[in-house]
Amino acid sequence: MNELIGRVFHFEKTVFPDSRELFGKLATEGQSPKALMISCADSRIVPEQIMQAEPGELFVCRNAGNMVPPFATMNGGVSSTVEYAVVALGVRDIIVCGHSDCGAMKALSAPELPEGMPSVAAWLRHGSAAEHVVSTCSPHLHGDDRVRAVSLQNVIAQLAHLRTHPSVAAAIAGGQMSLHGWFVDISAGMVFGLDGETGEFTPLREDRPLPIALPARARNIIDNWTAEAAE
């Protein structure tokens, strides 16, 4: 803790003075983040560092396994964060970000859920579809390969859960929302993005189009259907 507190002093004495104008603007004008990132709480994954984001640029929700519970009437922290980001802040891009060597995915891949941690076991059930897909479609995978496969499938599963949230569903229907599925390979220092057309995760590269899980559409399907029905 002494080392961490020392960094707080460094922030007060050095970092804040160098960015006083930025923090002043954020304090008076509020925040306008460019995207919401839902990432794992793993200490090795720092969303702001990965995206090189300045304060005010990235809205972040972190939890074990980068889970997004399906929408329900029972309130939850992830659901509230998503709703606030979309409705109040006007965020139009949401990133679900998994990573390699994920402890939550290792537990999800194990034959039995962790003992002595009932809350963790209950939380991991939000990723049960990912584990089932891998067990059913790729039963030959074991060890690290199985964990990686479950991690990738979990990103896809959580994107599907995300679409059950009314605020997200409305933004998608209105052509205002793009969804992104990312996977960070810690040892390689690489970020992979889900291509919604092919279902594959491909490396993010400067000279290639950004792979997008669900791009924003320029049309509203409801309006189009109503117009066609009226003709």
Side-chain angles (χ1 to χ4, degrees), residues 11-222:
F11 169 80
E12 293 178 347
K13 296 177 180 178
T14 305
V15 177
F16 179 79
D18 290 343
S19 303
R20 187 181 300 276
E21 183 177 349
L22 170 61
F23 284 107
K25 182 178 180 180
L26 291 172
T28 57
E29 300 181 10
Q31 59 175 323
S32 298
K34 294 179 172 62
L36 164 64
M37 178 178 278
I38 302 170
S39 69
C40 187
D42 193 298
S43 61
R44 297 167 294 179
I45 299 299
V46 183
E48 294 86 351
Q49 182 184 45
I50 293 171
M51 298 191 73
Q52 293 293 285
E54 293 289 332
E57 290 185 334
L58 189 63
F59 205 60
V60 178
C61 178
R62 301 181 66 172
N63 64 69
N66 43 273
M67 302 292 187
V68 183
F71 181 78
T73 54
M74 182 180 295
N75 188 32
V78 178
S79 299
S80 299
T81 300
V82 169
E83 185 175 83
Y84 185 81
V86 176
V87 178
L89 299 179
V91 165
R92 292 296 176 256
D93 289 274
I94 301 180
I95 306 160
V96 175
C97 184
H99 66 94
S100 61
D101 196 44
C102 179
M105 296 301 103
K106 288 180 179 179
L108 192 60
S109 302
E112 297 180 359
L113 290 173
E115 297 182 2
M117 294 185 284
S119 294
V120 172
W123 181 253
L124 290 178
R125 291 191 181 97
H126 293 303
S128 59
E131 190 281 327
H132 185 70
V133 168
V134 174
S135 293
T136 303
C137 301
S138 304
H140 60 283
L141 295 178
H142 300 282
D144 292 342
D145 290 338
R146 174 174 166 80
V147 173
R148 188 181 183 91
V150 171
S151 300
L152 295 173
Q153 285 295 331
N154 185 59
V155 171
I156 297 173
Q158 303 316 313
L159 285 169
H161 292 172
L162 189 58
R163 296 184 67 175
T164 68
H165 290 248
S167 59
V168 176
I172 291 173
Q176 301 169 326
M177 175 68 68
S178 293
L179 302 183
H180 309 263
W182 287 6
F183 178 85
V184 179
D185 188 317
I186 296 176
S187 62
M190 294 176 60
V191 180
F192 296 79
L194 173 63
D195 186 326
E197 297 294 330
T198 65
E200 300 290 330
F201 282 83
T202 59
L204 271 59
R205 291 289 181 265
E206 289 181 320
D207 58 348
R208 302 178 192 172
L210 175 69
I212 301 177
L214 181 67
R217 309 286 190 216
R219 62 186 181 86
N220 186 316
I221 189 172
I222 298 176

